[in-house]
Amino acid sequence: MSSERLDASASLLSPGLEPGPDQRWSTWPASPPSQRGPLPHPDWVITASGAFDTELGVVKTGKEADVHLIERAVPGTAGVLLAAKRYRNSHHSDFHRSGSYEEGRTMRNTRDARAVTRKSAYGRSVAAAHWAVSEFDALCRAWGAGVPVPYPVQVSDTEVLMEFIGDERVAAPRLAQSRLHAEELRDAFDQVVGILEAFAHAGFAHGDLSPYNLLDHQGRVVVIDLPQIVDVAANPQGLDFLYRDVVNVSTWFTRRGLDNDPEDVFAHLVAMLW
């Protein structure tokens, strides 16, 4: 659906109302089913055509993408907070992810693939959209595999909309920022091992797991930042990525005073793969 038709249909549902300076019409109606999250959609997902997306600020900035906080709501009704991860375009980003993450993957459009390889302006723009789609697909697969990830609401061009993990408008702290001790630390470790197990059971490794992309939300550990997810069987370095994930988190817990054996964890995960 074109933006003009979307605006027109939304206006019929919200007569006399127009988005303000920091608002837009909800992008949900313009998204085809393939760009929406897994079914069944959670009850909190707002699908109304007359909803507005209101910008509330920046949650996090990064080299490849920024995460914004938005509220999606039909005017006059309670809304829902969403995290909008927006990969930067060719003029503002320097994509630095190693090509080793891409081994075992293919880009269907050969022209796009060549442009990305050459790092032309068009290729860099394609790369931004590619990583957005990669992250959305990874979130969908992880959600379906039972991995605790933010629910992926939709993807549009270079933007991934997902469940906001936090309280009110405050994002949940990263595990690296937490002050867990004793039983809390042990419980968090067990949850992280459970995350690794869920990935392994589905045949994947996170590929870049660390306490900086694990959130601690009310005692529940949630994993984020998934565009580089690795198919362990298809990627020649798949087991290396899995081992690195294990060592990264194991080292952090050891430094916090929790004894654990990364070799045992890795062996356990490999046994789950095959």
Side-chain angles (χ1 to χ4, degrees):
M1 182 184 295
S2 69
S3 59
E4 292 80 5
R5 290 178 60 194
L6 173 59
D7 290 349
S9 62
S11 297
L12 292 175
L13 295 177
S14 301
L17 295 176
E18 292 293 336
D22 295 323
Q23 294 180 318
R24 67 184 181 190
W25 290 109
S26 167
T27 55
W28 180 270
S31 298
S34 62
Q35 295 178 3
R36 295 174 179 173
L39 294 172
H41 303 308
D43 293 340
W44 53 262
V45 174
I46 295 176
T47 62
S49 298
F52 290 169
D53 290 345
T54 302
E55 299 283 339
L56 299 178
V58 177
V59 176
K60 175 182 177 290
T61 60
K63 293 181 179 180
E64 299 170 353
D66 296 329
V67 179
H68 297 251
L69 180 64
I70 70 171
E71 180 185 45
R72 175 167 289 178
V74 175
T77 66
V80 62
L81 294 177
L82 299 174
K85 187 170 184 178
R86 294 166 184 164
Y87 283 86
R88 297 206 182 106
N89 62 32
S90 60
H91 300 293
H92 300 93
S93 175
D94 180 17
F95 282 84
H96 65 274
R97 292 190 184 275
S98 170
S100 57
Y101 287 113
E102 293 288 272
E103 294 189 53
R105 301 183 188 180
T106 58
M107 187 174 289
R108 294 181 181 179
N109 188 310
T110 55
R111 173 175 175 262
D112 288 352
R114 289 194 300 269
V116 170
T117 300
R118 291 195 303 267
K119 298 183 179 180
S120 65
Y122 171 72
R124 289 159 67 86
S125 179
V126 169
H130 170 66
W131 283 114
V133 171
S134 294
E135 175 138 37
F136 179 76
D137 288 346
L139 284 167
C140 290
R141 291 197 299 269
W143 179 269
V147 181
V149 296
Y151 176 76
V153 176
Q154 65 186 93
V155 62
S156 178
D157 194 19
T158 60
E159 177 186 79
V160 183
L161 280 179
M162 67 190 81
E163 176 185 4
F164 174 69
I165 306 298
D167 298 305
E168 297 183 351
R169 297 187 181 185
V170 180
R174 297 172 186 273
L175 190 60
Q177 302 168 324
S178 67
R179 296 293 181 267
L180 303 178
H181 299 285
E183 290 304 314
E184 292 178 330
L185 196 64
R186 167 56 64 180
D187 179 63
F189 176 77
D190 290 342
Q191 289 188 58
V192 173
V193 172
I195 288 171
L196 289 164
E197 290 175 338
F199 273 124
H201 189 265
F204 295 100
H206 182 279
D208 195 29
L209 195 64
S210 80
Y212 292 95
N213 46 36
L214 291 165
L215 303 182
D216 177 22
H217 184 229
Q218 298 179 356
R220 178 172 178 257
V221 179
V222 179
V223 61
I224 58 173
D225 295 337
L226 272 70
Q228 72 293 309
I229 190 172
V230 173
D231 184 320
V232 177
N235 191 306
Q237 300 180 58
L239 288 178
D240 293 333
F241 281 117
L242 178 60
Y243 184 73
R244 188 175 70 181
D245 284 349
V246 172
V247 171
N248 282 348
V249 294
S250 173
T251 299
W252 183 82
F253 278 101
T254 298
R255 289 174 178 170
R256 287 297 183 95
L258 182 70
D259 289 335
N260 65 92
D261 188 339
E263 301 300 330
D264 281 351
V265 174
F266 179 66
H268 170 62
L269 296 174
V270 171
M272 294 184 67
L273 287 167
W274 295 287

